[in-house]
Amino acid sequence: MTLIPTANPATTARDHLGRPLRDLRISVTDRCNFRCVYCMPKEKFGSDYQFLERKALLSFEEITRLARLFTTLGIEKIRLTGGEPLVRRGIEQLIAMLSAIPCLDLTLTTNGSLLAKKAAALRAAGLKRVTVSLDSLDDAVFKAMNDVDFPVAKVLEGIDAAAAAGLTPVKINMVVKRGVNEHSILPMAKFFRERGHILRFIEYMDVGATNGWRMDEVVSAREIVDMISRELPLEPADANYSGEVAERWRYKDGSGEIGVIASVTQAFCRDCTRARISTEGQLYTCLFATAGHDLRALLRGGASDEALLAKIGGVWSARDDRYSEIRGRQTVPLKKIEMSYIGG
Ligand code: SAM
Ligand code: SF4
Ligand code: SF4
């Protein structure tokens, strides 16, 4: 069967709540060279932690086959993530394979640690842009958050290399945790406004079961916007497209914009068009899902494209996830999947 990638509404899968399938995150590794306190705390991800074996990971061919199939169901955007995607050996080769798929917006989220070395090769392989995570410009704060003593300067070098290689616009993600890095909000806003990169603030989320999340550690998007606006006045900007998760704000003096991702205080489940594939090929329909659907078994069991499409379409049609909207009403604690495995 020849599959012609298309976002034709006729082939766009809709879930139980009428939401189309539009974007896909693929985790290419569960490993990472950082131990961010809100994601892979050292106490849980220590030297004895059992990461997946190589053969458990989807191969580049398997990932590419799935990506092609997903585009026939309406996927327009794929983000590679992890773990740290740039620690996966040969990632440039995967980028080249995926960027050959027509009509696909391909991007990647990275902690930036290997970007100075890899930006040019990623661009040459066909990657168009990147998002870099950075939680502070203050070395002491950043090192305490990444927990492996990694300096800010090296991430900034990576950001510069990405911009120089044409991986633009470069977006910067900052997770804000109360009592840890809220004092870094304003310096980060000023710094990236001057450089023309789009900074996005992410509310600290209760993903996984290891970060010991507490609601009082969340700095709300509202507080973040107010804090910046007092010094650098902001006004709301329209969304770029329907279902955009970041709420956009622009500086009134025309000097750029920021985004806030209010996943906790202003849930956006009703517009959530995102599926995730874990490192070992489990399909998840929500970041807070407790179970996935095994696509790897189908791939390795010789399933046809039709059978895979039927499985994926069936899973999406049955989807009724809206965890963030009902977070407060949850009575039984969920056995949630770690973000580094499911792909943040
Ligand atoms: N290692 C890459 C990185 O850090 O950019 C990609 C994977 S990481 C899991 C993807 C994104 O999830 C990062 O921007 C990270 O800051 C964010 N993240 C991780 N844990 C989070 C949490 N508990 N709450 C909010 N965002 C989180
Ligand atoms: Fe690694 Fe990214 Fe998680 Fe930090 S947020 S531990 S860099 S996967
Ligand atoms: Fe989407 Fe689930 Fe997040 Fe809601 S909680 S926005 S359904 S991933």
Side-chain angles (χ1 to χ4, degrees), residues 15 19 21 23 70 269 272-277 282-293 311-323 342:
D15 75 5
R19 298 168 294 189
L21 176 55
D23 57 298
F70 270 90
C269 299
C272 180
T273 56
R274 183 168 294 170
R276 291 180 159 84
I277 298 177
Q282 295 276 329
L283 170 63
Y284 288 91
T285 54
C286 177
L287 186 52
F288 298 92
T290 49
H293 304 266
K311 173 72 182 174
I312 298 163
V315 167
W316 191 261
S317 311
R319 173 187 192 245
D320 61 0
D321 306 277
R322 51 190 196 99
Y323 174 84
I342 197 173

PDB file of all heavy atoms in Angstrom, residues 15 19 21 23 70 269 272-277 282-293 311-323 342:
ATOM      1  N   ASP A  15     -10.855  12.155  18.092  1.00  0.00           N
ATOM      2  CA  ASP A  15     -11.014  11.342  19.287  1.00  0.00           C
ATOM      3  C   ASP A  15     -12.441  11.439  19.809  1.00  0.00           C
ATOM      4  O   ASP A  15     -13.309  12.071  19.196  1.00  0.00           O
ATOM      5  CB  ASP A  15      -9.944  11.684  20.333  1.00  0.00           C
ATOM      6  CG  ASP A  15     -10.192  13.008  21.046  1.00  0.00           C
ATOM      7  OD1 ASP A  15     -11.243  13.648  20.810  1.00  0.00           O
ATOM      8  OD2 ASP A  15      -9.329  13.404  21.852  1.00  0.00           O
ATOM      9  N   ARG A  19     -11.458  15.843  19.126  1.00  0.00           N
ATOM     10  CA  ARG A  19     -10.153  16.476  18.900  1.00  0.00           C
ATOM     11  C   ARG A  19      -9.376  15.731  17.802  1.00  0.00           C
ATOM     12  O   ARG A  19      -9.241  14.509  17.860  1.00  0.00           O
ATOM     13  CB  ARG A  19      -9.333  16.479  20.208  1.00  0.00           C
ATOM     14  CG  ARG A  19     -10.003  17.283  21.310  1.00  0.00           C
ATOM     15  CD  ARG A  19      -9.345  17.041  22.667  1.00  0.00           C
ATOM     16  NE  ARG A  19      -9.525  15.685  23.151  1.00  0.00           N
ATOM     17  CZ  ARG A  19      -9.202  15.266  24.371  1.00  0.00           C
ATOM     18  NH1 ARG A  19      -8.671  16.120  25.246  1.00  0.00           N
ATOM     19  NH2 ARG A  19      -9.393  14.024  24.737  1.00  0.00           N
ATOM     20  N   LEU A  21      -6.084  14.520  15.511  1.00  0.00           N
ATOM     21  CA  LEU A  21      -4.712  14.108  15.803  1.00  0.00           C
ATOM     22  C   LEU A  21      -3.793  14.977  14.960  1.00  0.00           C
ATOM     23  O   LEU A  21      -3.787  14.866  13.733  1.00  0.00           O
ATOM     24  CB  LEU A  21      -4.564  12.632  15.416  1.00  0.00           C
ATOM     25  CG  LEU A  21      -3.211  11.944  15.514  1.00  0.00           C
ATOM     26  CD1 LEU A  21      -2.618  12.061  16.908  1.00  0.00           C
ATOM     27  CD2 LEU A  21      -3.351  10.474  15.149  1.00  0.00           C
ATOM     28  N   ASP A  23      -0.407  16.533  16.338  1.00  0.00           N
ATOM     29  CA  ASP A  23       1.038  16.504  16.580  1.00  0.00           C
ATOM     30  C   ASP A  23       1.484  15.305  17.390  1.00  0.00           C
ATOM     31  O   ASP A  23       0.724  14.731  18.168  1.00  0.00           O
ATOM     32  CB  ASP A  23       1.577  17.828  17.122  1.00  0.00           C
ATOM     33  CG  ASP A  23       0.921  18.276  18.377  1.00  0.00           C
ATOM     34  OD1 ASP A  23      -0.314  18.512  18.356  1.00  0.00           O
ATOM     35  OD2 ASP A  23       1.605  18.384  19.393  1.00  0.00           O
ATOM     36  N   PHE A  70       1.575   8.056  10.675  1.00  0.00           N
ATOM     37  CA  PHE A  70       0.867   9.094  11.432  1.00  0.00           C
ATOM     38  C   PHE A  70       0.503  10.282  10.534  1.00  0.00           C
ATOM     39  O   PHE A  70      -0.533  10.915  10.729  1.00  0.00           O
ATOM     40  CB  PHE A  70       1.696   9.568  12.632  1.00  0.00           C
ATOM     41  CG  PHE A  70       1.423   8.779  13.882  1.00  0.00           C
ATOM     42  CD1 PHE A  70       2.145   7.638  14.177  1.00  0.00           C
ATOM     43  CD2 PHE A  70       0.428   9.173  14.770  1.00  0.00           C
ATOM     44  CE1 PHE A  70       1.889   6.897  15.329  1.00  0.00           C
ATOM     45  CE2 PHE A  70       0.159   8.450  15.921  1.00  0.00           C
ATOM     46  CZ  PHE A  70       0.892   7.301  16.198  1.00  0.00           C
ATOM     47  N   CYS A 269      -6.852  20.895  27.870  1.00  0.00           N
ATOM     48  CA  CYS A 269      -7.129  19.554  27.334  1.00  0.00           C
ATOM     49  C   CYS A 269      -8.095  19.592  26.160  1.00  0.00           C
ATOM     50  O   CYS A 269      -7.964  18.795  25.227  1.00  0.00           O
ATOM     51  CB  CYS A 269      -7.708  18.663  28.424  1.00  0.00           C
ATOM     52  SG  CYS A 269      -6.611  18.426  29.814  1.00  0.00           S
ATOM     53  N   CYS A 272      -6.280  19.678  23.043  1.00  0.00           N
ATOM     54  CA  CYS A 272      -5.054  18.863  22.994  1.00  0.00           C
ATOM     55  C   CYS A 272      -5.110  17.854  21.846  1.00  0.00           C
ATOM     56  O   CYS A 272      -5.922  16.940  21.841  1.00  0.00           O
ATOM     57  CB  CYS A 272      -4.831  18.155  24.327  1.00  0.00           C
ATOM     58  SG  CYS A 272      -3.354  17.139  24.313  1.00  0.00           S
ATOM     59  N   THR A 273      -4.230  18.047  20.887  1.00  0.00           N
ATOM     60  CA  THR A 273      -4.230  17.239  19.660  1.00  0.00           C
ATOM     61  C   THR A 273      -2.963  16.382  19.575  1.00  0.00           C
ATOM     62  O   THR A 273      -2.502  16.052  18.496  1.00  0.00           O
ATOM     63  CB  THR A 273      -4.297  18.181  18.439  1.00  0.00           C
ATOM     64  OG1 THR A 273      -3.195  19.099  18.519  1.00  0.00           O
ATOM     65  CG2 THR A 273      -5.578  18.988  18.400  1.00  0.00           C
ATOM     66  N   ARG A 274      -2.410  16.049  20.724  1.00  0.00           N
ATOM     67  CA  ARG A 274      -1.063  15.480  20.789  1.00  0.00           C
ATOM     68  C   ARG A 274      -1.044  13.996  21.184  1.00  0.00           C
ATOM     69  O   ARG A 274      -1.668  13.605  22.165  1.00  0.00           O
ATOM     70  CB  ARG A 274      -0.299  16.285  21.827  1.00  0.00           C
ATOM     71  CG  ARG A 274       1.137  15.915  22.005  1.00  0.00           C
ATOM     72  CD  ARG A 274       1.818  16.976  22.822  1.00  0.00           C
ATOM     73  NE  ARG A 274       1.862  18.245  22.108  1.00  0.00           N
ATOM     74  CZ  ARG A 274       2.231  19.396  22.638  1.00  0.00           C
ATOM     75  NH1 ARG A 274       2.585  19.448  23.908  1.00  0.00           N
ATOM     76  NH2 ARG A 274       2.256  20.492  21.917  1.00  0.00           N
ATOM     77  N   ALA A 275      -0.285  13.235  20.421  1.00  0.00           N
ATOM     78  CA  ALA A 275      -0.022  11.845  20.809  1.00  0.00           C
ATOM     79  C   ALA A 275       1.467  11.722  21.102  1.00  0.00           C
ATOM     80  O   ALA A 275       2.259  12.550  20.657  1.00  0.00           O
ATOM     81  CB  ALA A 275      -0.418  10.901  19.684  1.00  0.00           C
ATOM     82  N   ARG A 276       1.814  10.677  21.842  1.00  0.00           N
ATOM     83  CA  ARG A 276       3.223  10.470  22.184  1.00  0.00           C
ATOM     84  C   ARG A 276       3.612   9.021  21.940  1.00  0.00           C
ATOM     85  O   ARG A 276       2.823   8.115  22.218  1.00  0.00           O
ATOM     86  CB  ARG A 276       3.450  10.790  23.672  1.00  0.00           C
ATOM     87  CG  ARG A 276       3.305  12.243  23.997  1.00  0.00           C
ATOM     88  CD  ARG A 276       3.556  12.479  25.487  1.00  0.00           C
ATOM     89  NE  ARG A 276       3.909  13.868  25.712  1.00  0.00           N
ATOM     90  CZ  ARG A 276       3.027  14.851  25.845  1.00  0.00           C
ATOM     91  NH1 ARG A 276       1.739  14.585  25.788  1.00  0.00           N
ATOM     92  NH2 ARG A 276       3.422  16.095  26.043  1.00  0.00           N
ATOM     93  N   ILE A 277       4.838   8.840  21.449  1.00  0.00           N
ATOM     94  CA  ILE A 277       5.364   7.478  21.326  1.00  0.00           C
ATOM     95  C   ILE A 277       6.589   7.387  22.232  1.00  0.00           C
ATOM     96  O   ILE A 277       7.523   8.189  22.120  1.00  0.00           O
ATOM     97  CB  ILE A 277       5.765   7.147  19.873  1.00  0.00           C
ATOM     98  CG1 ILE A 277       4.537   7.220  18.961  1.00  0.00           C
ATOM     99  CG2 ILE A 277       6.372   5.757  19.804  1.00  0.00           C
ATOM    100  CD1 ILE A 277       4.856   6.973  17.494  1.00  0.00           C
ATOM    101  N   GLN A 282       5.595   2.525  22.725  1.00  0.00           N
ATOM    102  CA  GLN A 282       4.239   2.514  23.286  1.00  0.00           C
ATOM    103  C   GLN A 282       3.565   3.823  22.882  1.00  0.00           C
ATOM    104  O   GLN A 282       4.162   4.892  23.010  1.00  0.00           O
ATOM    105  CB  GLN A 282       4.292   2.454  24.819  1.00  0.00           C
ATOM    106  CG  GLN A 282       4.877   1.185  25.388  1.00  0.00           C
ATOM    107  CD  GLN A 282       3.841   0.068  25.491  1.00  0.00           C
ATOM    108  OE1 GLN A 282       2.662   0.316  25.682  1.00  0.00           O
ATOM    109  NE2 GLN A 282       4.301  -1.158  25.342  1.00  0.00           N
ATOM    110  N   LEU A 283       2.339   3.730  22.428  1.00  0.00           N
ATOM    111  CA  LEU A 283       1.584   4.927  22.052  1.00  0.00           C
ATOM    112  C   LEU A 283       0.780   5.410  23.259  1.00  0.00           C
ATOM    113  O   LEU A 283       0.031   4.647  23.857  1.00  0.00           O
ATOM    114  CB  LEU A 283       0.636   4.576  20.895  1.00  0.00           C
ATOM    115  CG  LEU A 283      -0.413   5.616  20.506  1.00  0.00           C
ATOM    116  CD1 LEU A 283       0.226   6.911  20.010  1.00  0.00           C
ATOM    117  CD2 LEU A 283      -1.346   5.049  19.424  1.00  0.00           C
ATOM    118  N   TYR A 284       0.977   6.683  23.602  1.00  0.00           N
ATOM    119  CA  TYR A 284       0.238   7.292  24.721  1.00  0.00           C
ATOM    120  C   TYR A 284      -0.602   8.447  24.201  1.00  0.00           C
ATOM    121  O   TYR A 284      -0.139   9.227  23.362  1.00  0.00           O
ATOM    122  CB  TYR A 284       1.207   7.823  25.788  1.00  0.00           C
ATOM    123  CG  TYR A 284       1.882   6.736  26.579  1.00  0.00           C
ATOM    124  CD1 TYR A 284       3.099   6.211  26.171  1.00  0.00           C
ATOM    125  CD2 TYR A 284       1.291   6.206  27.723  1.00  0.00           C
ATOM    126  CE1 TYR A 284       3.720   5.196  26.875  1.00  0.00           C
ATOM    127  CE2 TYR A 284       1.909   5.192  28.441  1.00  0.00           C
ATOM    128  CZ  TYR A 284       3.120   4.698  28.014  1.00  0.00           C
ATOM    129  OH  TYR A 284       3.716   3.691  28.727  1.00  0.00           O
ATOM    130  N   THR A 285      -1.796   8.576  24.729  1.00  0.00           N
ATOM    131  CA  THR A 285      -2.680   9.641  24.253  1.00  0.00           C
ATOM    132  C   THR A 285      -2.743  10.803  25.238  1.00  0.00           C
ATOM    133  O   THR A 285      -3.487  11.750  25.028  1.00  0.00           O
ATOM    134  CB  THR A 285      -4.100   9.090  24.006  1.00  0.00           C
ATOM    135  OG1 THR A 285      -4.549   8.439  25.203  1.00  0.00           O
ATOM    136  CG2 THR A 285      -4.114   8.104  22.844  1.00  0.00           C
ATOM    137  N   CYS A 286      -1.956  10.732  26.306  1.00  0.00           N
ATOM    138  CA  CYS A 286      -1.935  11.828  27.292  1.00  0.00           C
ATOM    139  C   CYS A 286      -0.630  11.737  28.063  1.00  0.00           C
ATOM    140  O   CYS A 286      -0.128  10.643  28.332  1.00  0.00           O
ATOM    141  CB  CYS A 286      -3.126  11.686  28.247  1.00  0.00           C
ATOM    142  SG  CYS A 286      -3.181  12.918  29.560  1.00  0.00           S
ATOM    143  N   LEU A 287      -0.093  12.891  28.436  1.00  0.00           N
ATOM    144  CA  LEU A 287       1.136  12.934  29.228  1.00  0.00           C
ATOM    145  C   LEU A 287       0.940  12.230  30.574  1.00  0.00           C
ATOM    146  O   LEU A 287       1.880  11.772  31.204  1.00  0.00           O
ATOM    147  CB  LEU A 287       1.520  14.406  29.445  1.00  0.00           C
ATOM    148  CG  LEU A 287       2.817  14.767  30.122  1.00  0.00           C
ATOM    149  CD1 LEU A 287       4.010  14.085  29.479  1.00  0.00           C
ATOM    150  CD2 LEU A 287       3.022  16.271  30.095  1.00  0.00           C
ATOM    151  N   PHE A 288      -0.296  12.181  31.011  1.00  0.00           N
ATOM    152  CA  PHE A 288      -0.587  11.602  32.320  1.00  0.00           C
ATOM    153  C   PHE A 288      -1.222  10.214  32.220  1.00  0.00           C
ATOM    154  O   PHE A 288      -1.821   9.725  33.171  1.00  0.00           O
ATOM    155  CB  PHE A 288      -1.492  12.548  33.114  1.00  0.00           C
ATOM    156  CG  PHE A 288      -0.836  13.871  33.367  1.00  0.00           C
ATOM    157  CD1 PHE A 288      -1.020  14.937  32.492  1.00  0.00           C
ATOM    158  CD2 PHE A 288       0.005  14.053  34.450  1.00  0.00           C
ATOM    159  CE1 PHE A 288      -0.399  16.160  32.701  1.00  0.00           C
ATOM    160  CE2 PHE A 288       0.641  15.274  34.663  1.00  0.00           C
ATOM    161  CZ  PHE A 288       0.438  16.327  33.792  1.00  0.00           C
ATOM    162  N   ALA A 289      -1.105   9.609  31.041  1.00  0.00           N
ATOM    163  CA  ALA A 289      -1.685   8.282  30.858  1.00  0.00           C
ATOM    164  C   ALA A 289      -0.978   7.282  31.769  1.00  0.00           C
ATOM    165  O   ALA A 289       0.197   7.451  32.100  1.00  0.00           O
ATOM    166  CB  ALA A 289      -1.540   7.858  29.404  1.00  0.00           C
ATOM    167  N   THR A 290      -1.680   6.258  32.164  1.00  0.00           N
ATOM    168  CA  THR A 290      -1.067   5.255  33.026  1.00  0.00           C
ATOM    169  C   THR A 290      -0.670   4.012  32.220  1.00  0.00           C
ATOM    170  O   THR A 290       0.045   3.158  32.714  1.00  0.00           O
ATOM    171  CB  THR A 290      -2.041   4.841  34.143  1.00  0.00           C
ATOM    172  OG1 THR A 290      -3.297   4.542  33.527  1.00  0.00           O
ATOM    173  CG2 THR A 290      -2.220   5.950  35.150  1.00  0.00           C
ATOM    174  N   ALA A 291      -1.150   3.917  30.975  1.00  0.00           N
ATOM    175  CA  ALA A 291      -0.796   2.765  30.146  1.00  0.00           C
ATOM    176  C   ALA A 291      -0.717   3.188  28.694  1.00  0.00           C
ATOM    177  O   ALA A 291      -1.411   4.111  28.265  1.00  0.00           O
ATOM    178  CB  ALA A 291      -1.839   1.665  30.300  1.00  0.00           C
ATOM    179  N   GLY A 292       0.148   2.491  27.950  1.00  0.00           N
ATOM    180  CA  GLY A 292       0.288   2.791  26.524  1.00  0.00           C
ATOM    181  C   GLY A 292      -0.238   1.654  25.671  1.00  0.00           C
ATOM    182  O   GLY A 292      -0.777   0.664  26.188  1.00  0.00           O
ATOM    183  N   HIS A 293      -0.080   1.794  24.386  1.00  0.00           N
ATOM    184  CA  HIS A 293      -0.536   0.776  23.424  1.00  0.00           C
ATOM    185  C   HIS A 293       0.690   0.351  22.625  1.00  0.00           C
ATOM    186  O   HIS A 293       1.374   1.194  22.039  1.00  0.00           O
ATOM    187  CB  HIS A 293      -1.612   1.364  22.507  1.00  0.00           C
ATOM    188  CG  HIS A 293      -2.764   1.930  23.279  1.00  0.00           C
ATOM    189  ND1 HIS A 293      -3.898   1.209  23.561  1.00  0.00           N
ATOM    190  CD2 HIS A 293      -2.933   3.147  23.873  1.00  0.00           C
ATOM    191  CE1 HIS A 293      -4.721   1.959  24.277  1.00  0.00           C
ATOM    192  NE2 HIS A 293      -4.163   3.133  24.486  1.00  0.00           N
ATOM    193  N   LYS A 311      -4.966   0.190  14.162  1.00  0.00           N
ATOM    194  CA  LYS A 311      -4.684   0.214  15.603  1.00  0.00           C
ATOM    195  C   LYS A 311      -4.593   1.664  16.110  1.00  0.00           C
ATOM    196  O   LYS A 311      -5.240   2.043  17.085  1.00  0.00           O
ATOM    197  CB  LYS A 311      -3.357  -0.534  15.864  1.00  0.00           C
ATOM    198  CG  LYS A 311      -2.855  -0.444  17.282  1.00  0.00           C
ATOM    199  CD  LYS A 311      -3.699  -1.270  18.201  1.00  0.00           C
ATOM    200  CE  LYS A 311      -3.252  -1.167  19.651  1.00  0.00           C
ATOM    201  NZ  LYS A 311      -4.158  -1.862  20.548  1.00  0.00           N
ATOM    202  N   ILE A 312      -3.792   2.460  15.399  1.00  0.00           N
ATOM    203  CA  ILE A 312      -3.568   3.844  15.853  1.00  0.00           C
ATOM    204  C   ILE A 312      -4.890   4.627  15.778  1.00  0.00           C
ATOM    205  O   ILE A 312      -5.269   5.328  16.722  1.00  0.00           O
ATOM    206  CB  ILE A 312      -2.488   4.540  14.985  1.00  0.00           C
ATOM    207  CG1 ILE A 312      -1.149   3.812  15.121  1.00  0.00           C
ATOM    208  CG2 ILE A 312      -2.334   6.008  15.388  1.00  0.00           C
ATOM    209  CD1 ILE A 312      -0.144   4.143  14.020  1.00  0.00           C
ATOM    210  N   GLY A 313      -5.591   4.479  14.676  1.00  0.00           N
ATOM    211  CA  GLY A 313      -6.871   5.171  14.513  1.00  0.00           C
ATOM    212  C   GLY A 313      -7.862   4.758  15.595  1.00  0.00           C
ATOM    213  O   GLY A 313      -8.574   5.589  16.157  1.00  0.00           O
ATOM    214  N   GLY A 314      -7.861   3.466  15.903  1.00  0.00           N
ATOM    215  CA  GLY A 314      -8.774   2.953  16.933  1.00  0.00           C
ATOM    216  C   GLY A 314      -8.450   3.530  18.302  1.00  0.00           C
ATOM    217  O   GLY A 314      -9.331   3.942  19.059  1.00  0.00           O
ATOM    218  N   VAL A 315      -7.151   3.582  18.624  1.00  0.00           N
ATOM    219  CA  VAL A 315      -6.727   4.126  19.924  1.00  0.00           C
ATOM    220  C   VAL A 315      -7.134   5.596  20.009  1.00  0.00           C
ATOM    221  O   VAL A 315      -7.680   6.060  21.014  1.00  0.00           O
ATOM    222  CB  VAL A 315      -5.192   3.978  20.111  1.00  0.00           C
ATOM    223  CG1 VAL A 315      -4.691   4.807  21.283  1.00  0.00           C
ATOM    224  CG2 VAL A 315      -4.818   2.517  20.294  1.00  0.00           C
ATOM    225  N   TRP A 316      -6.887   6.339  18.910  1.00  0.00           N
ATOM    226  CA  TRP A 316      -7.210   7.770  18.951  1.00  0.00           C
ATOM    227  C   TRP A 316      -8.725   7.990  19.056  1.00  0.00           C
ATOM    228  O   TRP A 316      -9.187   8.835  19.824  1.00  0.00           O
ATOM    229  CB  TRP A 316      -6.634   8.512  17.736  1.00  0.00           C
ATOM    230  CG  TRP A 316      -6.736   9.992  17.918  1.00  0.00           C
ATOM    231  CD1 TRP A 316      -7.698  10.803  17.403  1.00  0.00           C
ATOM    232  CD2 TRP A 316      -5.890  10.827  18.721  1.00  0.00           C
ATOM    233  NE1 TRP A 316      -7.494  12.110  17.827  1.00  0.00           N
ATOM    234  CE2 TRP A 316      -6.390  12.136  18.636  1.00  0.00           C
ATOM    235  CE3 TRP A 316      -4.758  10.587  19.510  1.00  0.00           C
ATOM    236  CZ2 TRP A 316      -5.797  13.218  19.307  1.00  0.00           C
ATOM    237  CZ3 TRP A 316      -4.175  11.659  20.175  1.00  0.00           C
ATOM    238  CH2 TRP A 316      -4.694  12.951  20.063  1.00  0.00           C
ATOM    239  N   SER A 317      -9.507   7.211  18.319  1.00  0.00           N
ATOM    240  CA  SER A 317     -10.975   7.382  18.357  1.00  0.00           C
ATOM    241  C   SER A 317     -11.522   7.176  19.769  1.00  0.00           C
ATOM    242  O   SER A 317     -12.488   7.810  20.165  1.00  0.00           O
ATOM    243  CB  SER A 317     -11.685   6.375  17.455  1.00  0.00           C
ATOM    244  OG  SER A 317     -11.119   6.356  16.214  1.00  0.00           O
ATOM    245  N   ALA A 318     -10.873   6.277  20.511  1.00  0.00           N
ATOM    246  CA  ALA A 318     -11.386   5.956  21.851  1.00  0.00           C
ATOM    247  C   ALA A 318     -10.879   6.939  22.912  1.00  0.00           C
ATOM    248  O   ALA A 318     -11.271   6.883  24.071  1.00  0.00           O
ATOM    249  CB  ALA A 318     -10.960   4.540  22.216  1.00  0.00           C
ATOM    250  N   ARG A 319     -10.009   7.853  22.521  1.00  0.00           N
ATOM    251  CA  ARG A 319      -9.335   8.727  23.493  1.00  0.00           C
ATOM    252  C   ARG A 319     -10.312   9.696  24.161  1.00  0.00           C
ATOM    253  O   ARG A 319     -11.042  10.424  23.486  1.00  0.00           O
ATOM    254  CB  ARG A 319      -8.263   9.520  22.750  1.00  0.00           C
ATOM    255  CG  ARG A 319      -7.563  10.601  23.560  1.00  0.00           C
ATOM    256  CD  ARG A 319      -6.668  11.398  22.624  1.00  0.00           C
ATOM    257  NE  ARG A 319      -5.745  12.266  23.286  1.00  0.00           N
ATOM    258  CZ  ARG A 319      -5.782  13.608  23.190  1.00  0.00           C
ATOM    259  NH1 ARG A 319      -6.711  14.197  22.463  1.00  0.00           N
ATOM    260  NH2 ARG A 319      -4.878  14.335  23.813  1.00  0.00           N
ATOM    261  N   ASP A 320     -10.294   9.703  25.490  1.00  0.00           N
ATOM    262  CA  ASP A 320     -11.118  10.696  26.194  1.00  0.00           C
ATOM    263  C   ASP A 320     -10.314  11.388  27.309  1.00  0.00           C
ATOM    264  O   ASP A 320     -10.871  11.913  28.257  1.00  0.00           O
ATOM    265  CB  ASP A 320     -12.403  10.055  26.745  1.00  0.00           C
ATOM    266  CG  ASP A 320     -12.104   8.959  27.745  1.00  0.00           C
ATOM    267  OD1 ASP A 320     -10.900   8.698  28.011  1.00  0.00           O
ATOM    268  OD2 ASP A 320     -13.048   8.354  28.278  1.00  0.00           O
ATOM    269  N   ASP A 321      -8.989  11.397  27.193  1.00  0.00           N
ATOM    270  CA  ASP A 321      -8.117  11.956  28.238  1.00  0.00           C
ATOM    271  C   ASP A 321      -8.350  13.455  28.433  1.00  0.00           C
ATOM    272  O   ASP A 321      -8.490  14.203  27.459  1.00  0.00           O
ATOM    273  CB  ASP A 321      -6.636  11.789  27.861  1.00  0.00           C
ATOM    274  CG  ASP A 321      -6.271  10.366  27.551  1.00  0.00           C
ATOM    275  OD1 ASP A 321      -6.018   9.617  28.485  1.00  0.00           O
ATOM    276  OD2 ASP A 321      -6.265  10.016  26.354  1.00  0.00           O
ATOM    277  N   ARG A 322      -8.350  13.868  29.687  1.00  0.00           N
ATOM    278  CA  ARG A 322      -8.373  15.307  30.002  1.00  0.00           C
ATOM    279  C   ARG A 322      -7.891  15.484  31.451  1.00  0.00           C
ATOM    280  O   ARG A 322      -8.513  16.173  32.264  1.00  0.00           O
ATOM    281  CB  ARG A 322      -9.756  15.918  29.764  1.00  0.00           C
ATOM    282  CG  ARG A 322     -10.901  15.200  30.410  1.00  0.00           C
ATOM    283  CD  ARG A 322     -12.241  15.735  29.915  1.00  0.00           C
ATOM    284  NE  ARG A 322     -13.313  15.309  30.806  1.00  0.00           N
ATOM    285  CZ  ARG A 322     -13.848  16.059  31.758  1.00  0.00           C
ATOM    286  NH1 ARG A 322     -13.442  17.286  31.958  1.00  0.00           N
ATOM    287  NH2 ARG A 322     -14.808  15.586  32.522  1.00  0.00           N
ATOM    288  N   TYR A 323      -6.761  14.855  31.721  1.00  0.00           N
ATOM    289  CA  TYR A 323      -6.230  14.822  33.082  1.00  0.00           C
ATOM    290  C   TYR A 323      -6.133  16.200  33.731  1.00  0.00           C
ATOM    291  O   TYR A 323      -6.546  16.398  34.877  1.00  0.00           O
ATOM    292  CB  TYR A 323      -4.846  14.147  33.107  1.00  0.00           C
ATOM    293  CG  TYR A 323      -4.193  14.217  34.457  1.00  0.00           C
ATOM    294  CD1 TYR A 323      -4.492  13.284  35.444  1.00  0.00           C
ATOM    295  CD2 TYR A 323      -3.301  15.253  34.771  1.00  0.00           C
ATOM    296  CE1 TYR A 323      -3.927  13.375  36.696  1.00  0.00           C
ATOM    297  CE2 TYR A 323      -2.729  15.348  36.024  1.00  0.00           C
ATOM    298  CZ  TYR A 323      -3.036  14.410  36.984  1.00  0.00           C
ATOM    299  OH  TYR A 323      -2.486  14.504  38.233  1.00  0.00           O
ATOM    300  N   ILE A 342       8.221   8.858  28.487  1.00  0.00           N
ATOM    301  CA  ILE A 342       7.093   9.095  27.577  1.00  0.00           C
ATOM    302  C   ILE A 342       7.426  10.195  26.562  1.00  0.00           C
ATOM    303  O   ILE A 342       6.847  10.269  25.488  1.00  0.00           O
ATOM    304  CB  ILE A 342       5.827   9.455  28.400  1.00  0.00           C
ATOM    305  CG1 ILE A 342       4.539   9.313  27.584  1.00  0.00           C
ATOM    306  CG2 ILE A 342       5.900  10.837  28.972  1.00  0.00           C
ATOM    307  CD1 ILE A 342       3.278   9.508  28.415  1.00  0.00           C
TER     308      ILE A 342
END
